[in-house]
Amino acid sequence: MTFKINRKPDEKLIQRYKVKSVNTPTKLLNTNFTSDVNTTGTSLYSYLPDNRIKVSSSQINSFPYYSICKLTMTFPDSPGYVTLGTGYELWNKLCATAGHCLLNSNGKYFNSIKAEFGYNNGTCIYTATDDDLAGYVLHGEFDGKNWSPEIDYAFLHWNKDIANNVGHFGISWSYSSGNTCLSAGYPSDKENGEYLYKSTSTINSIDDCVIDSNNYCMPGQSGSPLYLPGGYAIGITSGNANDRSMFSVQLDNGITTWLNQNGYFD
């Protein structure tokens, strides 16, 4: 089923097979990132050390970095403004990202989108745009106004196989709290998202389909892969906590089974 990108997404919206309670942790920041500073301008929280490291121009051409894309979107309610996000190729025609990268907090779907794989300060190894989309899909409960990390994920479905150009991540379900995990994305607070930044940390907890890790996270990193050494994806980054730790929705068996049964792993 194919739709014009500026009309509506694929009607086959994701519903999890495992029904879990939706309990948004109280420590989550508002999306405007203003609630963590008091009236004197001093921080209310003890932030994690910023463990992000810039991916060099030589590294960007190696796996898994060339399978990660800088996303830029425009929305109908903010003409002239470009929104920054991150995505990553999960399969031949499938790019994972955060739901709020496609559907904003006003409930508006994007007008245009550009995915630049292996982006590094104005250059990239491959670009995909609206014209390359067959469709896209989000969690069925997510409407942009009800943000919570366990439903904040989406997938772009390309109209052609781009794996020969950008490769793709593997998927793993073998991990637990305490395991090493990695992330890489395009943060807006680091040189306006012109470079890919990576981090290595550990999984703190897994609860209600959300992985909490000590990877430092800021705007622009939404949609980044959370993955194990070797390039095996385990989650999609949604946002951060007050200490800047990262929340990622699990790529669990419910999501991958649904994608497979509905023809997205083609």
Side-chain angles (χ1 to χ4, degrees):
M1 189 180 299
T2 302
F3 298 93
K4 285 182 67 66
I5 200 61
N6 60 356
R7 291 185 180 176
K8 57 183 178 179
D10 193 322
E11 296 289 356
K12 299 179 293 186
L13 299 181
I14 292 176
Q15 296 289 349
R16 284 190 178 276
Y17 291 164
K18 296 187 296 182
V19 178
K20 292 193 174 184
S21 62
V22 179
N23 297 315
T24 303
T26 57
K27 64 178 181 176
L28 286 179
L29 279 174
N30 294 328
T31 54
N32 60 12
F33 294 94
T34 59
S35 62
D36 58 346
V37 176
N38 65 20
T39 55
T40 65
T42 57
S43 172
L44 297 174
Y45 306 103
S46 177
Y47 294 147
L48 289 172
D50 188 344
N51 57 2
R52 297 170 298 174
I53 301 171
K54 183 191 291 188
V55 175
S56 69
S57 56
S58 58
Q59 290 176 314
I60 200 74
N61 294 316
S62 62
F63 180 79
Y65 305 121
Y66 56 62
S67 297
I68 301 170
C69 60
K70 175 181 178 179
L71 291 179
T72 48
M73 294 75 61
T74 62
F75 290 88
D77 55 340
S78 53
Y81 182 79
V82 177
T83 299
L84 174 66
T86 301
Y88 65 97
E89 198 70 4
L90 189 62
W91 196 246
N92 298 336
K93 300 180 182 179
L94 199 64
C95 181
T97 189
H100 70 265
C101 288
L102 307 188
L103 179 62
N104 70 17
S105 59
N106 294 323
K108 302 294 185 182
Y109 288 101
F110 64 94
N111 270 342
S112 67
I113 191 166
K114 180 165 64 173
E116 297 172 282
F117 289 87
Y119 182 90
N120 184 69
N121 194 28
T123 64
C124 65
I125 65 168
Y126 188 82
T127 300
T129 66
D130 310 359
D131 294 335
D132 301 304
L133 276 173
Y136 55 96
V137 63
L138 301 89
H139 190 285
E141 296 175 8
F142 183 69
D143 63 11
K145 303 175 183 180
N146 62 339
W147 177 81
S148 59
E150 57 267 44
I151 60 173
D152 182 25
Y153 57 90
F155 299 92
L156 299 167
H157 190 211
W158 308 119
N159 57 22
K160 57 187 174 184
D161 184 344
I162 67 170
N164 286 335
N165 303 99
V166 305
H168 64 74
F169 278 74
I171 302 174
S172 177
W173 298 282
S174 300
Y175 56 90
S176 59
S177 297
N179 286 170
T180 297
C181 61
L182 305 94
S183 184
Y186 290 92
S188 60
D189 69 312
K190 295 284 192 180
E191 299 160 296
N192 297 315
E194 283 298 301
Y195 296 94
L196 184 68
Y197 276 77
K198 62 181 179 178
S199 62
T200 303
S201 183
T202 54
I203 298 173
N204 292 326
S205 63
I206 304 168
D207 183 54
D208 280 345
C209 301
V210 176
I211 303 171
D212 175 272
S213 69
N214 281 334
N215 292 285
Y216 197 90
C217 181
M218 289 293 281
Q221 293 173 244
S222 297
S224 299
L226 186 69
Y227 60 99
L228 303 178
Y232 293 93
I234 62 173
I236 304 169
T237 298
S238 173
N240 67 9
N242 291 330
D243 59 359
R244 306 302 194 211
S245 63
M246 179 179 288
F247 285 116
S248 306
V249 63
Q250 282 183 282
L251 275 174
D252 63 11
N253 188 58
I255 292 178
T256 54
T257 298
W258 188 97
L259 289 168
N260 184 52
Q261 291 180 342
N262 286 276
Y264 287 94
F265 283 134
D266 57 348

